[in-house]
Amino acid sequence: GYGFAHHYLNSLVVTLFITIASILAASFVAFVLTKRPFPGSRTLFNLMLVSMMVPWEVTIIPNFLTVANLGWINSYSALMVPGLAKAFVVFYFRQIILSVSNELIDAATMDGAGTVRTWWSVVLPLLRPGLAAIAIPVAITEWNSFLWPLLVINDAQHMTLPLQLGKMAGNISYNPQSAAVLMAGSLIASLPAIVAFLFFQRQFVNGLTAGATKG
């Protein structure tokens, strides 16, 4: 069978993948929309703003049908891929990138750097405080995600930690002694979020003010 450590590792892998991949993708999209505009880019950004007003719960059924049609039920793809698109993170990075000097971008272009190279070598280092600030809430949200995994995962192999804790909570009425195990599991589950915040708290505070002033 699959034990607590396996589900813990599942959650860790899914959370790290979504956090890193979604933030990198969002920062690149924000860079292109801000410093490399193209016909329709403004419309695309406005559509992203509109999508932020739509509650995530509204998209559950079409997302589930898409995942089911792709044959991803009970797979890591179902846990990871839908979480990569984050309009708010794109908006967040756009506000910071607006303060990046156009002269700096133009200098990189004149040196022969393409769009991807400019983003990676010039823009990303400048976004470092912002990366840490947005990574914490994104990671915590994914770490605690329960509803979506509950819909797409029903086998023990791909089960994440919140699902396992939910399963343990359901056993309390039948076995009251399992409450102690549930509390211990909940404590262990909360440790990564606490450690991440303590480790990145300075970057988190700096990131909250990133882009607040435009000069």
Side-chain angles (χ1 to χ4, degrees):
Y2 297 95
F4 187 85
H6 179 83
H7 304 311
Y8 201 95
L9 183 61
N10 277 349
S11 280
L12 200 60
V13 170
V14 170
T15 299
L16 287 176
F17 176 82
I18 293 179
T19 301
I20 295 172
S22 67
I23 286 177
L24 288 177
S27 64
F28 180 73
V29 171
F31 168 66
V32 171
L33 291 177
T34 308
K35 301 297 186 181
R36 294 282 190 270
F38 54 89
S41 60
R42 185 69 192 180
T43 302
L44 179 61
F45 178 70
N46 290 334
L47 288 173
M48 293 179 65
L49 289 181
V50 171
S51 72
M52 289 168 55
M53 305 176 191
V54 179
W56 181 80
E57 290 78 8
V58 174
T59 65
I60 285 181
I61 293 178
N63 281 343
F64 177 80
L65 292 176
T66 301
V67 167
N69 290 334
L70 290 171
W72 286 356
I73 299 298
N74 287 329
S75 73
Y76 291 111
S77 297
L79 291 171
M80 295 177 175
V81 176
L84 295 181
K86 299 189 183 297
F88 173 76
V89 183
V90 174
F91 174 76
Y92 169 83
F93 280 127
R94 179 184 179 272
Q95 298 309 109
I96 302 177
I97 294 174
L98 282 173
S99 64
V100 175
S101 170
N102 286 327
E103 286 78 8
L104 198 60
I105 306 298
D106 294 339
T109 303
M110 291 178 64
D111 286 341
T115 300
V116 175
R117 180 67 185 274
T118 303
W119 160 72
W120 181 261
S121 301
V122 178
V123 177
L124 265 187
L126 297 175
L127 295 179
R128 196 172 298 161
L131 291 170
I134 199 66
I136 292 175
V138 169
I140 290 176
T141 299
E142 296 302 332
W143 179 261
N144 294 327
S145 179
F146 179 78
L147 181 57
W148 179 251
L150 181 66
L151 292 174
V152 297
I153 301 298
N154 52 41
D155 68 341
Q157 179 182 352
H158 300 94
M159 191 175 290
T160 57
L161 193 56
L163 292 184
Q164 174 64 16
L165 292 175
K167 184 178 178 182
M168 292 166 63
N171 293 334
I172 290 180
S173 56
Y174 303 103
N175 181 18
Q177 292 181 342
S178 65
V181 179
L182 175 61
M183 292 175 67
S186 300
L187 175 62
I188 296 173
S190 66
L191 289 179
I194 297 172
V195 171
F197 180 76
L198 291 176
F199 191 72
F200 292 111
Q201 59 180 332
R202 179 178 297 178
Q203 291 89 333
F204 180 72
V205 173
N206 291 339
L208 292 178
T209 58
T213 56
K214 259 186 77 177

